[in-house]
Amino acid sequence: MGGEVKSMSFVAKKGAKIVKKEAKKGGSLTLAVVSTEKTYTYEMLRNMEMLVVARVLSRPEPPIHERSSAFYVSKSWCRAALRWLEVQEEERKEREERHRAAEDANAASATPTKWTKKAPHPGSSGKKKMSRKEQRQRDRRMSDAMPPWSNINTDLVCEHGDLRQCSSKSARARRRVMDKQAWKVLKRLYPDSIQLDASVGSAGCLVCAAEA
């Protein structure tokens, strides 16, 4: 009995609670495990991940004197991640509008009155329909958005797996400096990412420098 109770307690810590029931006659004790876990869909988890990324990317770059433990992040990756988050948010709002419009249409058709306006077609948001040009622009904008790639710094790494050599002007255009805490969050979400030291004096790939 002790082993079973211990096992049930472990489950309770993981998101379930134990309900104790005692019979009126006989005094027998029954333990029942009732799950209280919340189920997350893939879409919900993906949205949570991208919100964390957006919060991390909103942090300012650390000043020069605090870059003893800082790391580089690709600016191209940052732009792609934020663009993907923006498109996902637009699609989420459109889905909510269609769902709300469908509910309003069903409610209006269920209780029609003489003064009720003509209900919108189920699935319609009730807004003015976009022109073909606006539709093409929207489709093009959404097609340009791609999920952020698994290796954050793939375009900053040379063939030797180290920081690619480039001019200071090009480095400012392609690299963003992240503090240690922000980088740890991104690395946890994207474990394939290569860590690139951004501390003052880091020269990048020495093999590339020797071959230049």
Side-chain angles (χ1 to χ4, degrees), residues 87-146:
V87 169
Q88 294 301 303
E89 181 65 16
E90 289 179 6
E91 292 181 348
R92 184 188 64 81
K93 288 181 179 179
E94 288 181 0
R95 287 194 300 269
E96 289 181 352
E97 288 179 358
R98 288 195 297 267
H99 180 70
R100 186 163 51 248
E103 289 183 340
D104 293 343
N106 292 334
S109 61
T111 56
T113 63
K114 186 167 58 176
W115 301 279
T116 302
K117 294 182 180 180
K118 184 178 180 181
H121 186 277
S124 171
S125 63
K127 293 185 176 182
K128 182 181 178 181
K129 188 176 181 180
M130 288 189 295
S131 65
R132 290 185 178 180
K133 181 179 179 181
E134 291 174 335
Q135 185 68 35
R136 286 197 301 269
Q137 291 175 343
R138 174 187 173 279
D139 293 342
R140 189 181 304 114
R141 186 172 67 252
M142 293 204 172
S143 64
D144 291 340
M146 298 293 291

Side-chain angles (χ1 to χ4, degrees), residues 56-75:
V56 169
L57 296 184
S58 66
R59 296 165 64 101
E61 292 189 358
I64 298 295
H65 64 276
E66 294 181 4
R67 295 187 181 180
S68 57
S69 58
F71 304 94
Y72 285 124
V73 172
S74 167
K75 285 188 174 181

Side-chain angles (χ1 to χ4, degrees), residues 17-33:
K17 63 180 180 180
I18 297 177
V19 179
K20 183 172 71 173
K21 296 181 180 179
E22 187 172 352
K24 293 182 179 180
K25 295 181 179 180
S28 61
L29 181 65
T30 303
L31 296 179
V33 178

Side-chain angles (χ1 to χ4, degrees), residues 8 11-19 32-39:
M8 290 180 181
V11 174
K13 293 178 182 178
K14 292 295 183 180
K17 63 180 180 180
I18 297 177
V19 179
V33 178
V34 180
S35 176
T36 59
E37 292 182 347
K38 184 176 181 180
T39 303

